[in-house]
Amino acid sequence: MPSSVTALGQARSSGPGMAPSACCCSPAALQRRLPILAWLPSYSLQWLKMDFVAGLSVGLTAIPQALAYAEVAGLPPQYGLYSAFMGCFVYFFLGTSRDVTLGPTAIMSLLVSFYTFHEPAYAVLLAFLSGCIQLAMGVLRLGFTSAAAVTIGFGQIKNLLGLQNIPRPFFLQVYHTFLRIAETRVGDAVLGLVCMLLLLVLKLMRDHVPPVHPEMPPGVRLSRGLVWAATTARNALVVSFAALVAYSFEVTGYQPFILTGETAEGLPPVRIPPFSVTTANGTISFTEMVQDMGAGLAVVPLMGLLESIAVAKAFASQNNYRIDANQELLAIGLTNMLGSLVSSYPVTGSFGRTAVNAQSGVCTPAGGLVTGVLVLLSLDYLTSLFYYIPKSALAAVIIMAVAPLFDTKIFRTLWRVKRLDLLPLCVTFLLCFWEVQYGILAGALVSLLMLLHSAARPETKVSEGPVLVLQPASGLSFPAMEALREEILSRALEVSPPRCLVLECTHVCSIDYTVVLGLGELLQDFQKQGVALAFVGLQVPVLRVLLSADLKGFQYFSTLEEAEKHLRQEPGTQPYNIREDSILDQKVALLKA
């Protein structure tokens, strides 16, 4: 496996670090757009074995999860499977992470349920449009998950308890669930809790079973290998166990469980996405469908790319290789576009299945081919068996899958590190229980306001002495200029007597026209008061802009000591300007060249 990390890592590093002048048809450019060309020439039999095992493990996880996530999305179960295979094949060619698997996820399914009104046609069209948006973004180059985990998890309580006709809005769902708790079906509740317990036990076993080593005795290797296989495929095993129990009752003529029911058999037909829908009340046009989905056309593709790239970066960092974010975006966009041709709803990178992939020792994205084929085989041959899967078992799978998403540690960490960052987290967390889009938009708005406030009110470090020294702790932009002006006036010009000031600009890497105008006004104010304003630590791009502006009274020094000497009227120290300093002339000439 280390060799696979090296091969993929080299492929990754050749992408973002490629020289700008490289030809678009050069081998490096082709490897960047088709990462498969980086690792396929060195593909080995050992990699094939590892990829096959990993792909099989992920497939046995993906099939029951796909059926369960279709329930979260409010769609028939087959749509979960339709969404689970296209990403495997697209990512084989375009993916830059060996670990990531694309497919339906809990959060994406929740968003689909909000924006598509449980209508398959809307879900498929949303996948197509999301793919177009993501693909365009790739070509052109917040507290949400915790709230979504609670929303999704509680949304499955009704299936776990066998309750029916519960409203989908979160607060109504909570109210009606507790209101009708006496209607709980004992069979569903017992089976659901048993399935959750089995999943938890198998997960704990998976986390604590030592890895298999070649030097172990054959018997120990075999036993640990069996335990590893059983715990990795725990979702498939538990769902199969529940289906077997339900079938046993069906044979006796008594069924205590609510079953998944009929699942459409066979592979999905290949057809263009529905750009209009015919209903009993007439035809809904494409324009009307887009208007109905509204903010979903922005929220769904954005959340898809954020979730997938976050997963890819997490595992790339863990396994010591690099990914290309733009290429990942292309892969997600193309997956959703092509997936819409086979009735898929929007998909993204799955953290849970990616973890299974990584723990199974996957070496390349070829493991996804095995997963995709397994999903297709299940669609062709196993759909009749899905009839007997109890909904309470699928609810247990979903609850155990989303439980790790509720991260309580982040609250304690932010409280210790930066308490103000809890504000957008809490706003997003609380409003997501009302409507997911409101939570996302409100959290983004609060974060933006905090960012604008920090940009408009940058921290400044002040050193008192014979000469006042003021150092902005971050860059200067037009929102910050007024705050800087107020700070300088209050400390240097509005005191008696007025004081000279040195502006230490080490952290200023760029300035705009508004900042240049503001600094020019400050220089005039200092000249009127008969004191000097000097600049120190200017980076060359900033210095070039200020010199080009030809500001009257502009003085620049290379060190703080020189500036202080000059401002104290000590002899032998002259400010630098474009005519008197040959070194500065060379820098400016080099930049202009």
Side-chain angles (χ1 to χ4, degrees), residues 106-162:
I107 292 175
M108 192 56 61
S109 300
L110 178 66
L111 292 175
V112 168
S113 74
F114 275 110
Y115 292 114
T116 62
F117 322 108
H118 309 165
E119 288 290 338
Y122 277 86
V124 174
L125 181 60
L126 182 58
F128 175 77
L129 296 177
S130 296
C132 292
I133 294 169
Q134 291 166 334
L135 201 58
M137 293 171 69
V139 170
L140 300 175
R141 312 232 206 198
L142 297 147
F144 169 69
T145 54
S146 293
V150 176
T151 304
I152 295 167
F154 196 89
Q156 295 307 306
I157 295 295
K158 63 181 187 296
N159 289 329
L160 195 72
L161 301 179

Short mmCIF file of all heavy atoms in Angstrom, two decimals, residues 106-162:
data_model
loop_
_atom_site.label_atom_id
_atom_site.label_comp_id
_atom_site.label_asym_id
_atom_site.label_seq_id
_atom_site.Cartn_x
_atom_site.Cartn_y
_atom_site.Cartn_z
N ALA A 106 -26.53 10.85 4.05
CA ALA A 106 -27.63 11.26 4.93
C ALA A 106 -27.98 12.72 4.73
O ALA A 106 -29.15 13.09 4.57
CB ALA A 106 -27.25 10.98 6.38
N ILE A 107 -26.97 13.58 4.72
CA ILE A 107 -27.22 15.02 4.62
C ILE A 107 -27.80 15.38 3.26
O ILE A 107 -28.76 16.15 3.14
CB ILE A 107 -25.94 15.81 4.91
CG1 ILE A 107 -25.54 15.65 6.38
CG2 ILE A 107 -26.10 17.28 4.55
CD1 ILE A 107 -24.23 16.29 6.74
N MET A 108 -27.22 14.82 2.19
CA MET A 108 -27.72 15.12 0.86
C MET A 108 -29.16 14.61 0.69
O MET A 108 -30.00 15.28 0.06
CB MET A 108 -26.81 14.50 -0.20
CG MET A 108 -27.07 14.99 -1.61
SD MET A 108 -26.96 16.78 -1.81
CE MET A 108 -25.26 17.09 -1.35
N SER A 109 -29.45 13.45 1.26
CA SER A 109 -30.81 12.91 1.18
C SER A 109 -31.80 13.81 1.92
O SER A 109 -32.93 14.02 1.48
CB SER A 109 -30.85 11.49 1.76
OG SER A 109 -29.99 10.63 1.06
N LEU A 110 -31.36 14.37 3.05
CA LEU A 110 -32.22 15.29 3.80
C LEU A 110 -32.51 16.54 2.97
O LEU A 110 -33.66 17.00 2.90
CB LEU A 110 -31.53 15.68 5.11
CG LEU A 110 -32.28 16.69 5.99
CD1 LEU A 110 -33.56 16.09 6.52
CD2 LEU A 110 -31.39 17.15 7.15
N LEU A 111 -31.50 17.08 2.29
CA LEU A 111 -31.71 18.26 1.46
C LEU A 111 -32.65 17.94 0.30
O LEU A 111 -33.50 18.76 -0.06
CB LEU A 111 -30.36 18.77 0.93
CG LEU A 111 -29.41 19.36 1.97
CD1 LEU A 111 -28.08 19.69 1.33
CD2 LEU A 111 -30.00 20.60 2.62
N VAL A 112 -32.47 16.77 -0.30
CA VAL A 112 -33.35 16.36 -1.41
C VAL A 112 -34.79 16.29 -0.94
O VAL A 112 -35.72 16.71 -1.65
CB VAL A 112 -32.88 15.01 -1.99
CG1 VAL A 112 -33.93 14.43 -2.95
CG2 VAL A 112 -31.55 15.18 -2.73
N SER A 113 -35.02 15.78 0.27
CA SER A 113 -36.39 15.68 0.77
C SER A 113 -37.03 17.05 0.95
O SER A 113 -38.24 17.22 0.78
CB SER A 113 -36.41 14.92 2.11
OG SER A 113 -35.90 15.71 3.17
N PHE A 114 -36.22 18.08 1.25
CA PHE A 114 -36.75 19.43 1.44
C PHE A 114 -37.09 20.11 0.12
O PHE A 114 -38.06 20.85 0.03
CB PHE A 114 -35.74 20.30 2.21
CG PHE A 114 -35.82 20.15 3.69
CD1 PHE A 114 -34.81 19.52 4.40
CD2 PHE A 114 -36.90 20.65 4.41
CE1 PHE A 114 -34.88 19.37 5.77
CE2 PHE A 114 -36.97 20.52 5.78
CZ PHE A 114 -35.96 19.87 6.46
N TYR A 115 -36.27 19.85 -0.90
CA TYR A 115 -36.38 20.63 -2.12
C TYR A 115 -37.09 19.94 -3.27
O TYR A 115 -37.35 20.57 -4.30
CB TYR A 115 -34.98 21.05 -2.59
CG TYR A 115 -34.32 22.04 -1.68
CD1 TYR A 115 -33.17 21.71 -0.96
CD2 TYR A 115 -34.84 23.32 -1.52
CE1 TYR A 115 -32.57 22.62 -0.11
CE2 TYR A 115 -34.24 24.24 -0.67
CZ TYR A 115 -33.10 23.88 0.03
OH TYR A 115 -32.52 24.79 0.86
N THR A 116 -37.40 18.66 -3.15
CA THR A 116 -38.00 17.95 -4.29
C THR A 116 -39.39 17.42 -3.99
O THR A 116 -39.97 16.73 -4.83
CB THR A 116 -37.10 16.79 -4.74
OG1 THR A 116 -36.97 15.84 -3.69
CG2 THR A 116 -35.71 17.29 -5.13
N PHE A 117 -39.92 17.70 -2.81
CA PHE A 117 -41.32 17.40 -2.48
C PHE A 117 -41.66 15.92 -2.65
O PHE A 117 -42.79 15.56 -2.98
CB PHE A 117 -42.26 18.25 -3.37
CG PHE A 117 -41.75 19.64 -3.62
CD1 PHE A 117 -41.27 20.00 -4.88
CD2 PHE A 117 -41.70 20.57 -2.61
CE1 PHE A 117 -40.76 21.27 -5.11
CE2 PHE A 117 -41.21 21.85 -2.82
CZ PHE A 117 -40.74 22.20 -4.08
N HIS A 118 -40.65 15.04 -2.46
CA HIS A 118 -40.82 13.58 -2.55
C HIS A 118 -41.24 13.15 -3.95
O HIS A 118 -41.83 12.08 -4.12
CB HIS A 118 -41.84 13.08 -1.52
CG HIS A 118 -41.56 13.55 -0.13
ND1 HIS A 118 -42.46 13.48 0.89
CD2 HIS A 118 -40.45 14.13 0.41
CE1 HIS A 118 -41.94 13.99 1.99
NE2 HIS A 118 -40.71 14.39 1.72
N GLU A 119 -40.93 13.98 -4.95
CA GLU A 119 -41.24 13.66 -6.34
C GLU A 119 -39.97 13.22 -7.06
O GLU A 119 -39.02 14.01 -7.18
CB GLU A 119 -41.84 14.88 -7.05
CG GLU A 119 -43.25 15.24 -6.63
CD GLU A 119 -44.26 14.20 -7.11
OE1 GLU A 119 -43.96 13.47 -8.07
OE2 GLU A 119 -45.34 14.13 -6.51
N PRO A 120 -39.91 11.99 -7.55
CA PRO A 120 -38.70 11.51 -8.24
C PRO A 120 -38.26 12.41 -9.40
O PRO A 120 -37.06 12.62 -9.60
CB PRO A 120 -39.10 10.12 -8.73
CG PRO A 120 -40.15 9.66 -7.77
CD PRO A 120 -40.91 10.90 -7.41
N ALA A 121 -39.22 12.94 -10.15
CA ALA A 121 -38.85 13.79 -11.30
C ALA A 121 -38.07 15.02 -10.84
O ALA A 121 -37.07 15.41 -11.47
CB ALA A 121 -40.12 14.22 -12.06
N TYR A 122 -38.51 15.64 -9.75
CA TYR A 122 -37.80 16.80 -9.22
C TYR A 122 -36.40 16.39 -8.74
O TYR A 122 -35.43 17.12 -8.93
CB TYR A 122 -38.59 17.42 -8.07
CG TYR A 122 -39.68 18.37 -8.49
CD1 TYR A 122 -40.95 17.91 -8.81
CD2 TYR A 122 -39.44 19.74 -8.56
CE1 TYR A 122 -41.95 18.78 -9.19
CE2 TYR A 122 -40.45 20.63 -8.93
CZ TYR A 122 -41.70 20.15 -9.25
OH TYR A 122 -42.68 21.02 -9.63
N ALA A 123 -36.31 15.23 -8.09
CA ALA A 123 -35.01 14.77 -7.56
C ALA A 123 -34.02 14.53 -8.68
O ALA A 123 -32.83 14.90 -8.58
CB ALA A 123 -35.21 13.50 -6.73
N VAL A 124 -34.47 13.91 -9.77
CA VAL A 124 -33.58 13.62 -10.90
C VAL A 124 -33.16 14.92 -11.58
O VAL A 124 -31.98 15.11 -11.94
CB VAL A 124 -34.28 12.68 -11.89
CG1 VAL A 124 -33.42 12.49 -13.15
CG2 VAL A 124 -34.54 11.32 -11.24
N LEU A 125 -34.10 15.85 -11.77
CA LEU A 125 -33.75 17.13 -12.38
C LEU A 125 -32.79 17.91 -11.49
O LEU A 125 -31.86 18.57 -11.98
CB LEU A 125 -35.02 17.95 -12.63
CG LEU A 125 -34.80 19.33 -13.28
CD1 LEU A 125 -34.13 19.19 -14.65
CD2 LEU A 125 -36.11 20.09 -13.41
N LEU A 126 -32.98 17.84 -10.18
CA LEU A 126 -32.06 18.52 -9.26
C LEU A 126 -30.66 17.95 -9.37
O LEU A 126 -29.67 18.68 -9.30
CB LEU A 126 -32.57 18.39 -7.82
CG LEU A 126 -31.74 19.10 -6.75
CD1 LEU A 126 -31.61 20.59 -7.02
CD2 LEU A 126 -32.35 18.87 -5.36
N ALA A 127 -30.55 16.63 -9.57
CA ALA A 127 -29.23 16.02 -9.76
C ALA A 127 -28.57 16.56 -11.02
O ALA A 127 -27.38 16.90 -11.02
CB ALA A 127 -29.37 14.50 -9.85
N PHE A 128 -29.34 16.66 -12.10
CA PHE A 128 -28.78 17.17 -13.36
C PHE A 128 -28.32 18.62 -13.22
O PHE A 128 -27.19 18.97 -13.60
CB PHE A 128 -29.83 17.05 -14.47
CG PHE A 128 -29.39 17.65 -15.78
CD1 PHE A 128 -28.49 16.97 -16.60
CD2 PHE A 128 -29.86 18.89 -16.19
CE1 PHE A 128 -28.07 17.52 -17.81
CE2 PHE A 128 -29.45 19.44 -17.39
CZ PHE A 128 -28.55 18.76 -18.20
N LEU A 129 -29.17 19.47 -12.67
CA LEU A 129 -28.82 20.88 -12.54
C LEU A 129 -27.68 21.09 -11.55
O LEU A 129 -26.80 21.94 -11.77
CB LEU A 129 -30.05 21.68 -12.12
CG LEU A 129 -31.21 21.70 -13.13
CD1 LEU A 129 -32.41 22.46 -12.56
CD2 LEU A 129 -30.77 22.32 -14.45
N SER A 130 -27.66 20.32 -10.47
CA SER A 130 -26.55 20.41 -9.51
C SER A 130 -25.25 20.02 -10.18
O SER A 130 -24.20 20.65 -9.97
CB SER A 130 -26.83 19.51 -8.30
OG SER A 130 -27.95 19.93 -7.59
N GLY A 131 -25.31 18.96 -10.98
CA GLY A 131 -24.11 18.53 -11.70
C GLY A 131 -23.61 19.59 -12.65
O GLY A 131 -22.40 19.84 -12.76
N CYS A 132 -24.54 20.26 -13.37
CA CYS A 132 -24.14 21.33 -14.28
C CYS A 132 -23.44 22.46 -13.52
O CYS A 132 -22.40 22.98 -13.96
CB CYS A 132 -25.37 21.87 -15.02
SG CYS A 132 -26.10 20.72 -16.20
N ILE A 133 -24.02 22.84 -12.38
CA ILE A 133 -23.44 23.93 -11.59
C ILE A 133 -22.06 23.53 -11.06
O ILE A 133 -21.09 24.29 -11.14
CB ILE A 133 -24.38 24.31 -10.43
CG1 ILE A 133 -25.68 24.91 -10.99
CG2 ILE A 133 -23.71 25.28 -9.47
CD1 ILE A 133 -26.78 25.08 -9.96
N GLN A 134 -21.96 22.33 -10.52
CA GLN A 134 -20.68 21.87 -9.97
C GLN A 134 -19.63 21.71 -11.07
O GLN A 134 -18.46 22.06 -10.88
CB GLN A 134 -20.88 20.54 -9.24
CG GLN A 134 -21.70 20.67 -7.97
CD GLN A 134 -22.19 19.34 -7.44
OE1 GLN A 134 -22.35 18.38 -8.19
NE2 GLN A 134 -22.44 19.26 -6.15
N LEU A 135 -20.05 21.24 -12.22
CA LEU A 135 -19.12 21.07 -13.33
C LEU A 135 -18.62 22.43 -13.81
O LEU A 135 -17.42 22.60 -14.08
CB LEU A 135 -19.82 20.33 -14.47
CG LEU A 135 -18.93 19.64 -15.51
CD1 LEU A 135 -18.02 18.63 -14.84
CD2 LEU A 135 -19.79 18.95 -16.56
N ALA A 136 -19.52 23.40 -13.88
CA ALA A 136 -19.11 24.75 -14.29
C ALA A 136 -18.14 25.35 -13.28
O ALA A 136 -17.14 25.98 -13.66
CB ALA A 136 -20.35 25.64 -14.43
N MET A 137 -18.40 25.14 -12.00
CA MET A 137 -17.49 25.66 -10.96
C MET A 137 -16.13 24.99 -11.06
O MET A 137 -15.09 25.62 -10.85
CB MET A 137 -18.11 25.42 -9.58
CG MET A 137 -19.36 26.24 -9.33
SD MET A 137 -20.21 25.77 -7.80
CE MET A 137 -19.04 26.35 -6.59
N GLY A 138 -16.11 23.70 -11.38
CA GLY A 138 -14.84 22.99 -11.50
C GLY A 138 -14.06 23.43 -12.72
O GLY A 138 -12.83 23.56 -12.67
N VAL A 139 -14.76 23.70 -13.82
CA VAL A 139 -14.08 24.13 -15.04
C VAL A 139 -13.52 25.53 -14.87
O VAL A 139 -12.39 25.83 -15.27
CB VAL A 139 -15.04 24.07 -16.24
CG1 VAL A 139 -14.43 24.73 -17.46
CG2 VAL A 139 -15.40 22.61 -16.55
N LEU A 140 -14.29 26.43 -14.26
CA LEU A 140 -13.86 27.80 -14.04
C LEU A 140 -12.97 27.92 -12.82
O LEU A 140 -12.43 28.98 -12.53
CB LEU A 140 -15.10 28.70 -13.89
CG LEU A 140 -16.05 28.71 -15.09
CD1 LEU A 140 -17.29 29.53 -14.77
CD2 LEU A 140 -15.35 29.27 -16.32
N ARG A 141 -12.78 27.00 -12.35
CA ARG A 141 -12.05 26.91 -11.08
C ARG A 141 -12.67 27.88 -10.05
O ARG A 141 -12.02 28.65 -9.49
CB ARG A 141 -10.60 27.27 -11.17
CG ARG A 141 -9.94 26.61 -12.30
CD ARG A 141 -8.71 25.90 -11.87
NE ARG A 141 -7.87 25.82 -13.01
CZ ARG A 141 -6.91 25.10 -13.26
NH1 ARG A 141 -6.49 24.34 -12.37
NH2 ARG A 141 -6.28 25.08 -14.33
N LEU A 142 -20.54 24.28 8.98
CA LEU A 142 -20.81 25.41 9.71
C LEU A 142 -21.54 24.80 10.93
O LEU A 142 -21.55 25.06 11.75
CB LEU A 142 -21.75 26.31 8.97
CG LEU A 142 -21.25 26.89 7.63
CD1 LEU A 142 -22.39 27.03 6.73
CD2 LEU A 142 -20.44 28.01 7.72
N GLY A 143 -21.98 24.28 11.80
CA GLY A 143 -22.91 23.61 12.73
C GLY A 143 -23.97 22.82 12.03
O GLY A 143 -24.82 22.25 12.65
N PHE A 144 -23.89 22.80 10.64
CA PHE A 144 -24.97 22.18 9.89
C PHE A 144 -25.03 20.67 10.10
O PHE A 144 -26.10 20.10 10.24
CB PHE A 144 -24.76 22.50 8.40
CG PHE A 144 -25.64 21.71 7.50
CD1 PHE A 144 -27.00 21.95 7.47
CD2 PHE A 144 -25.11 20.73 6.69
CE1 PHE A 144 -27.83 21.22 6.63
CE2 PHE A 144 -25.92 20.00 5.86
CZ PHE A 144 -27.28 20.25 5.82
N THR A 145 -23.89 19.99 10.12
CA THR A 145 -23.91 18.53 10.17
C THR A 145 -24.49 18.03 11.49
O THR A 145 -25.18 17.00 11.50
CB THR A 145 -22.48 17.97 10.00
OG1 THR A 145 -21.62 18.57 10.97
CG2 THR A 145 -21.95 18.26 8.61
N SER A 146 -24.23 18.71 12.59
CA SER A 146 -24.78 18.26 13.87
C SER A 146 -26.29 18.39 13.88
O SER A 146 -27.00 17.48 14.33
CB SER A 146 -24.18 19.09 15.02
OG SER A 146 -22.80 18.84 15.16
N ALA A 147 -26.82 19.52 13.38
CA ALA A 147 -28.27 19.68 13.32
C ALA A 147 -28.89 18.68 12.36
O ALA A 147 -29.96 18.12 12.63
CB ALA A 147 -28.62 21.10 12.89
N ALA A 148 -28.22 18.43 11.24
CA ALA A 148 -28.74 17.45 10.28
C ALA A 148 -28.76 16.06 10.89
O ALA A 148 -29.68 15.28 10.65
CB ALA A 148 -27.87 17.46 9.02
N ALA A 149 -27.75 15.75 11.69
CA ALA A 149 -27.71 14.43 12.34
C ALA A 149 -28.91 14.25 13.26
O ALA A 149 -29.54 13.19 13.28
CB ALA A 149 -26.40 14.28 13.13
N VAL A 150 -29.24 15.30 14.03
CA VAL A 150 -30.40 15.23 14.93
C VAL A 150 -31.69 15.10 14.11
O VAL A 150 -32.56 14.28 14.41
CB VAL A 150 -30.45 16.46 15.84
CG1 VAL A 150 -31.71 16.44 16.69
CG2 VAL A 150 -29.22 16.50 16.73
N THR A 151 -31.81 15.93 13.05
CA THR A 151 -33.02 15.91 12.23
C THR A 151 -33.22 14.55 11.57
O THR A 151 -34.31 13.99 11.58
CB THR A 151 -32.93 17.01 11.15
OG1 THR A 151 -32.73 18.27 11.79
CG2 THR A 151 -34.20 17.06 10.32
N ILE A 152 -32.16 14.03 10.96
CA ILE A 152 -32.26 12.74 10.27
C ILE A 152 -32.52 11.62 11.27
O ILE A 152 -33.37 10.75 11.06
CB ILE A 152 -30.97 12.46 9.48
CG1 ILE A 152 -30.79 13.49 8.36
CG2 ILE A 152 -31.00 11.06 8.87
CD1 ILE A 152 -29.41 13.49 7.75
N GLY A 153 -31.75 11.63 12.37
CA GLY A 153 -31.90 10.56 13.37
C GLY A 153 -33.29 10.53 13.97
O GLY A 153 -33.92 9.47 14.07
N PHE A 154 -33.80 11.71 14.36
CA PHE A 154 -35.14 11.72 14.96
C PHE A 154 -36.19 11.38 13.92
O PHE A 154 -37.23 10.79 14.24
CB PHE A 154 -35.44 13.09 15.58
CG PHE A 154 -36.61 13.05 16.52
CD1 PHE A 154 -36.43 12.77 17.87
CD2 PHE A 154 -37.90 13.27 16.05
CE1 PHE A 154 -37.51 12.71 18.73
CE2 PHE A 154 -38.99 13.21 16.92
CZ PHE A 154 -38.78 12.92 18.26
N GLY A 155 -35.92 11.73 12.65
CA GLY A 155 -36.87 11.42 11.60
C GLY A 155 -37.07 9.93 11.41
O GLY A 155 -38.09 9.49 10.85
N GLN A 156 -36.12 9.12 11.89
CA GLN A 156 -36.25 7.66 11.76
C GLN A 156 -36.88 7.02 12.99
O GLN A 156 -37.13 5.81 12.99
CB GLN A 156 -34.87 7.05 11.50
CG GLN A 156 -34.26 7.45 10.18
CD GLN A 156 -35.20 7.19 9.02
OE1 GLN A 156 -35.68 6.08 8.85
NE2 GLN A 156 -35.46 8.24 8.22
N ILE A 157 -37.13 7.81 14.03
CA ILE A 157 -37.77 7.26 15.23
C ILE A 157 -39.15 6.70 14.89
O ILE A 157 -39.57 5.66 15.39
CB ILE A 157 -37.88 8.34 16.33
CG1 ILE A 157 -36.48 8.76 16.79
CG2 ILE A 157 -38.70 7.83 17.50
CD1 ILE A 157 -35.70 7.66 17.48
N LYS A 158 -39.86 7.37 13.98
CA LYS A 158 -41.21 6.90 13.61
C LYS A 158 -41.15 5.51 12.98
O LYS A 158 -42.00 4.65 13.24
CB LYS A 158 -41.88 7.89 12.66
CG LYS A 158 -41.19 8.06 11.32
CD LYS A 158 -41.92 9.08 10.46
CE LYS A 158 -41.34 9.16 9.05
NZ LYS A 158 -39.95 9.64 9.05
N ASN A 159 -40.12 5.27 12.13
CA ASN A 159 -39.97 3.94 11.53
C ASN A 159 -39.50 2.92 12.57
O ASN A 159 -39.88 1.75 12.52
CB ASN A 159 -38.98 3.99 10.37
CG ASN A 159 -39.55 4.73 9.17
OD1 ASN A 159 -40.75 4.70 8.94
ND2 ASN A 159 -38.69 5.40 8.41
N LEU A 160 -38.66 3.39 13.48
CA LEU A 160 -38.16 2.49 14.52
C LEU A 160 -39.29 2.01 15.42
O LEU A 160 -39.30 0.86 15.87
CB LEU A 160 -37.09 3.22 15.34
CG LEU A 160 -36.21 2.36 16.25
CD1 LEU A 160 -35.22 1.56 15.40
CD2 LEU A 160 -35.44 3.24 17.23
N LEU A 161 -40.27 2.87 15.66
CA LEU A 161 -41.40 2.53 16.55
C LEU A 161 -42.62 2.04 15.78
O LEU A 161 -43.63 1.69 16.39
CB LEU A 161 -41.79 3.76 17.39
CG LEU A 161 -40.69 4.35 18.28
CD1 LEU A 161 -41.21 5.56 19.02
CD2 LEU A 161 -40.16 3.30 19.26
N GLY A 162 -42.55 2.05 14.45
CA GLY A 162 -43.68 1.59 13.66
C GLY A 162 -44.81 2.59 13.57
O GLY A 162 -45.95 2.21 13.27
#
